[in-house]
Amino acid sequence: MKLLLGQIPVSRKRSTTDRLNIAQWPSVLPLADKTVHCDDRCLESMFKAQSMKPMHGNCFLSVQMDVTAHHRQQVIEWIYDVCKEEYCEPDVFLLAVSLVDRFLSVQSFHRNNLQALAGACLFVSSKVKAPQPLNAERIAYYTDGAVRMDQILQGELLVLNKLNWDVSTSTALDFLDQVAARYGDLHPLSEDSRIAAHRIQMG
């Protein structure tokens, strides 16, 4: 796995005009819809769907023989850095982390292939959440030659297969929307909540 904790090689950083998700492709946050955000059935459905996701406790003790929590932290930091470089929506990062964790909880994996897995999960997540999805070639670019584009495409199919194509899961910010709609005073805390969500995902 060719990466440094929390770093993208300087040679792989792009100019502002060469990024996908900058201001000319803005996403618009939806207004609170009382029919959706204030209906307890919606929140209950989110909790129910979350509880049905295949997560088996501490996968580093029960499933993974070669990947450790430290290796996971490395690739999560890398995903976060790529998302910052490309100005991705916060949900892109959160969903990518969820996909990594769900995959590792059901499939043993070799640490040398972990960055390819992270790239594949980011690829899938950006398709689901980003207004302008990242492409596999762009994600591979940020690995500084450690992962090829075809490995990310193969990884995408592997992730989708292992997760039974169930990739549209609720993130921490989806739950925050539900809570904030019920308690208006929480709206000013949205940015702090995004920072907190990142720290929680880092474990």
Side-chain angles (χ1 to χ4, degrees):
M1 187 168 56
K2 184 182 177 182
L3 58 87
L4 297 175
L5 181 58
Q7 293 184 358
I8 294 175
V10 175
S11 63
R12 294 296 174 177
K13 289 185 177 287
R14 292 177 176 271
S15 67
T16 302
T17 57
D18 196 29
R19 292 165 179 160
L20 285 175
N21 290 285
I22 50 179
Q24 61 260 41
W25 289 290
S27 61
V28 179
L29 294 177
L31 297 175
D33 184 342
K34 292 184 178 180
T35 306
V36 175
H37 292 98
C38 294
D39 190 331
D40 289 340
R41 293 175 299 175
C42 183
L43 187 57
E44 290 170 3
S45 295
M46 290 170 64
F47 277 117
K48 182 178 179 180
Q50 198 77 359
S51 67
M52 295 174 64
K53 304 301 179 186
M55 295 287 286
H56 303 297
N58 189 340
C59 66
F60 305 112
L61 297 177
S62 58
V63 179
Q64 300 303 324
M65 299 293 104
D66 192 50
V67 175
T68 67
H70 176 68
H71 296 135
R72 173 197 177 272
Q73 183 183 13
Q74 284 185 300
V75 294
I76 297 308
E77 282 283 9
W78 175 79
I79 291 174
Y80 182 67
D81 284 348
V82 174
C83 288
K84 285 198 302 183
E85 277 293 300
E86 291 292 338
Y87 292 95
C88 294
E89 293 296 301
D91 261 338
V92 173
F93 167 71
L94 295 177
L95 180 57
V97 173
S98 175
L99 296 177
V100 169
D101 288 341
R102 287 174 58 200
F103 181 90
L104 292 178
S105 74
V106 298
Q107 177 65 49
S108 180
F109 216 63
H110 196 281
R111 61 186 174 187
N112 288 343
N113 298 323
L114 195 56
Q115 193 172 17
L117 170 65
C121 290
L122 177 57
F123 185 41
V124 173
S125 177
S126 72
K127 287 184 177 182
V128 175
K129 294 290 188 179
Q132 181 77 10
L134 302 173
N135 58 53
E137 182 180 9
R138 204 173 191 88
I139 294 172
Y141 175 88
Y142 285 110
T143 70
D144 198 22
V147 178
R148 302 186 310 275
M149 181 180 70
D150 64 290
Q151 289 177 288
I152 292 176
L153 296 176
Q154 292 169 6
E156 177 192 21
L157 293 177
L158 178 62
V159 169
L160 292 173
N161 180 56
K162 287 297 179 181
L163 300 184
N164 296 316
W165 291 77
D166 182 12
V167 295
S168 185
T169 184
S170 299
T171 69
L173 296 183
D174 293 322
F175 284 97
L176 175 63
D177 287 341
Q178 290 285 328
V179 175
R182 291 167 169 78
Y183 304 98
D185 292 341
L186 293 179
H187 281 293
L189 300 177
S190 59
E191 184 59 32
D192 291 337
S193 298
R194 281 162 169 74
I195 295 173
H198 167 242
R199 291 176 178 171
I200 291 171
Q201 295 292 336
M202 292 305 303

